[in-house]
Amino acid sequence: MADKKQDFIDQRLQDLNNDGVDRRGFLKCMAWAGTGLVWTLSGGVPVSRAFAQGAGQHGGEGADFTFVQISDSHIGFSKPANPDVTATLQTAINKINAMPHKADFLIHTGDLSQLSKPSEFDTLDQVLKGASPKQTYFVPGEHDMLTDNGEQYLQRYGKGTKGAGWYSFDHKGVHFVGLVNVVNLKAGGLGSLGHEQLEWLEDDLKGRSASTPIVLFAHIPLWTVYPDWGWGTDDSEQALSYVKRFGSVTVLNGHIHQVMQKIEGKVSFHTAMSTAFPQPAPGSAPSAGPMKVPADQLQRVLGITDVNYLVSGSSLAIIDSPLDSSSSPMSGNGGGADMAAMASGGVSTDSAIEVKIDNFAFTPGAIKIKSGTQVTWINNDDIPHTVDSTQGKFKSAALDTDQKFEFRFTEAGEYPYYCRMHPKMTGSIIVQS
Ligand SMILES: [Cu+2]
């Protein structure tokens, strides 16, 4: 039995690696445009494969059914990393529609929008209307909760769900659970499921036969990919303890805009690429964020429809692969903020102070000011951030690129703050009378 299991895992690893994709080419070009992940359920066992793989190879013959994961559409994003994210989502949908074995449904693992705007959701809906699978199951990303704590997301995509939008459903003998780990993020923390959702999950799984294949999906990875960039979920261990007794568990996530895979016992973890823009490999750049690739490469990637749509691969291979930084477009999106240079020992006597938000960091991160000083935060990143007092004393809207937030400090004390979208981003203001 154990041998059989091992054989199976080996087979799967082989499948995952033997995907007909030139991994070096992948690392160079980040074939991120218009990607999606095709899952074929065969005998209750999910196997992923690339869009580019024709019907001949895996074909879907003998498959129970197929579904496709797409992620991180970021509709509304228009920065140089990809000025037309609607077009690349459309490319993904075209691929899905051209699949020889029709997908039963789509799963979208969050960040549908860039700024939670109604017009962005409208555009997404419009593009998805053209998908041949008529059903899409969603979970929200932090970008979908920006303006209204996810009210609008819930109205549009969360009908019949619990809490912040979690739910489960069954499809042809497989039990799917959509989880939400992007609300109530605490300063310094990672993604979070929260007590109420964990209780619900335990209850939802209780009484199901251990032979039922389980698919969990959520936006932020439910395993620790790279905590320095917030790529993990604080209480995912608890959630995973509820699925331990099941024979086949697949965990699908987005958020990090690249493929990472890990198999741990009977649980296999997978993160999908974005349909919008790539992000650097963990630790390979000063921070997470949209990664620009040269325009000619972008065109080349966009022009290729048959190959390079890599969706499966070994995470470890990707993490461990040395990046050729001299010629690679993966060298990140600019120099890092020199935080140390801005560190301030003394009390500033300026009546107005500026804090820059750059490369997912507040700079300077900690400052001492005199009472009455006005602090202005300005977002220099290509991605929105917020400035939220940990004590609830101030709270900005989502600040898009170049947008500012101001607050005048009139009482002495210490004011820690963080970005509610990226709780690893923290700073503090010490006000002296
Ligand atoms: Cu942020």
Side-chain angles (χ1 to χ4, degrees):
M1 190 64 196
D3 281 347
K4 207 170 171 209
K5 187 130 279 159
Q6 194 55 51
D7 282 346
F8 158 65
I9 290 168
D10 289 344
Q11 178 58 41
R12 277 196 64 184
L13 281 169
Q14 205 173 21
D15 281 355
L16 294 170
N17 288 313
N18 186 16
D19 50 17
V21 174
D22 173 359
R23 193 134 345 254
R24 194 173 159 76
F26 161 64
L27 285 169
K28 273 197 174 156
C29 305
M30 284 294 289
W32 50 273
T35 53
L37 179 66
V38 182
W39 287 93
T40 304
L41 273 282
S42 197
V45 175
V47 174
S48 67
R49 66 189 166 88
F51 274 140
Q53 287 176 294
Q57 209 171 347
H58 291 273
E61 68 270 15
D64 302 324
F65 68 96
T66 295
F67 67 96
V68 178
Q69 179 192 6
I70 57 174
S71 201
D72 296 84
S73 308
H74 289 267
I75 298 298
F77 180 91
S78 59
K79 305 284 158 42
N82 181 1
D84 195 350
V85 296
T86 305
T88 47
L89 173 65
Q90 185 62 57
T91 307
I93 298 302
N94 294 347
K95 292 270 162 203
I96 292 163
N97 291 347
M99 281 166 50
H101 195 79
K102 290 290 172 222
D104 283 14
F105 56 85
L106 307 180
I107 283 181
H108 193 305
T109 42
D111 282 355
L112 290 57
S113 68
Q114 177 71 353
L115 291 167
S116 310
K117 288 182 184 165
S119 58
E120 296 171 349
F121 291 129
D122 286 346
T123 301
L124 179 93
D125 293 347
Q126 203 54 43
V127 176
L128 288 183
K129 253 185 211 149
S132 62
K134 285 304 158 206
Q135 174 84 52
T136 303
Y137 294 97
F138 297 92
V139 285
E142 74 280 4
H143 284 255
D144 305 317
M145 320 290 277
L146 275 178
T147 49
D148 55 1
N149 260 327
E151 277 298 310
Q152 202 190 162
Y153 168 87
L154 275 184
Q155 269 172 29
R156 285 177 182 250
Y157 309 103
K159 291 208 173 61
T161 64
K162 308 270 194 296
W166 56 82
Y167 59 100
S168 67
F169 65 94
D170 291 288
H171 188 83
K172 298 182 179 168
V174 179
H175 188 63
F176 291 81
V177 187
L179 298 172
V180 179
N181 56 1
V182 295
V183 288
N184 298 324
L185 304 184
K186 286 172 208 71
L190 305 170
S192 169
L193 294 160
H195 182 69
E196 191 191 345
Q197 185 171 201
L198 286 167
E199 295 240 290
W200 170 84
L201 177 64
E202 184 177 22
D203 196 55
D204 180 76
L205 296 171
K206 206 179 279 171
R208 287 180 202 282
S209 145
S211 63
T212 308
I214 305 288
V215 177
L216 303 181
F217 57 103
H219 180 63
I220 299 175
L222 290 170
W223 48 295
T224 305
V225 174
Y226 196 61
D228 287 0
W229 287 357
W231 290 359
T233 301
D234 274 337
D235 46 8
S236 59
E237 276 302 312
Q238 185 76 35
L240 295 171
S241 73
Y242 302 145
V243 296
K244 273 211 173 90
R245 67 184 178 87
F246 291 92
S248 160
V249 180
T250 304
V251 181
L252 305 179
N253 303 117
H255 188 59
I256 69 172
H257 298 212
Q258 61 198 287
V259 172
M260 295 273 167
Q261 232 156 203
K262 181 177 84 151
I263 296 182
E264 207 174 86
K266 294 168 291 186
V267 185
S268 77
F269 300 85
H270 181 100
T271 61
M273 280 192 223
S274 164
T275 64
F277 55 83
Q279 294 202 81
S284 69
S287 67
M291 186 168 66
K292 298 174 192 82
V293 296
D296 58 333
Q297 296 210 24
L298 177 62
Q299 286 307 316
R300 197 163 59 108
V301 173
L302 290 174
I304 293 168
T305 53
D306 271 355
V307 295
N308 276 348
Y309 289 101
L310 175 80
V311 287
S312 68
S314 153
S315 61
L316 292 175
I318 289 175
I319 292 169
D320 294 341
S321 292
L323 303 175
D324 180 0
S325 57
S326 61
S327 62
S328 164
M330 296 191 64
S331 50
N333 53 1
D338 190 352
M339 313 246 307
M342 297 286 288
S344 139
V347 181
S348 163
T349 51
D350 294 340
S351 60
I353 289 280
E354 196 172 88
V355 176
K356 288 192 192 334
I357 307 176
D358 226 343
N359 286 313
F360 287 63
F362 298 105
T363 311
I367 45 172
K368 287 182 192 161
I369 57 172
K370 286 279 184 202
S371 179
T373 305
Q374 173 157 304
V375 178
T376 302
W377 285 264
I378 175 160
N379 181 16
N380 292 334
D381 268 350
D382 275 358
I383 212 92
H385 297 290
T386 73
V387 180
D388 283 38
S389 160
T390 310
Q391 305 139 322
K393 298 203 168 145
F394 49 87
K395 180 178 179 149
S396 79
L399 306 174
D400 204 358
T401 307
D402 296 332
Q403 287 185 331
K404 293 177 182 175
F405 172 67
E406 294 169 345
F407 190 81
R408 188 177 296 281
F409 292 85
T410 54
E411 268 179 60
E414 187 173 354
Y415 299 84
Y417 65 90
Y418 71 113
C419 167
R420 67 176 180 274
M421 298 178 71
H422 311 107
K424 281 282 167 190
M425 293 172 59
T426 59
S428 85
I429 311 281
I430 293 171
V431 181
Q432 300 189 338
S433 51

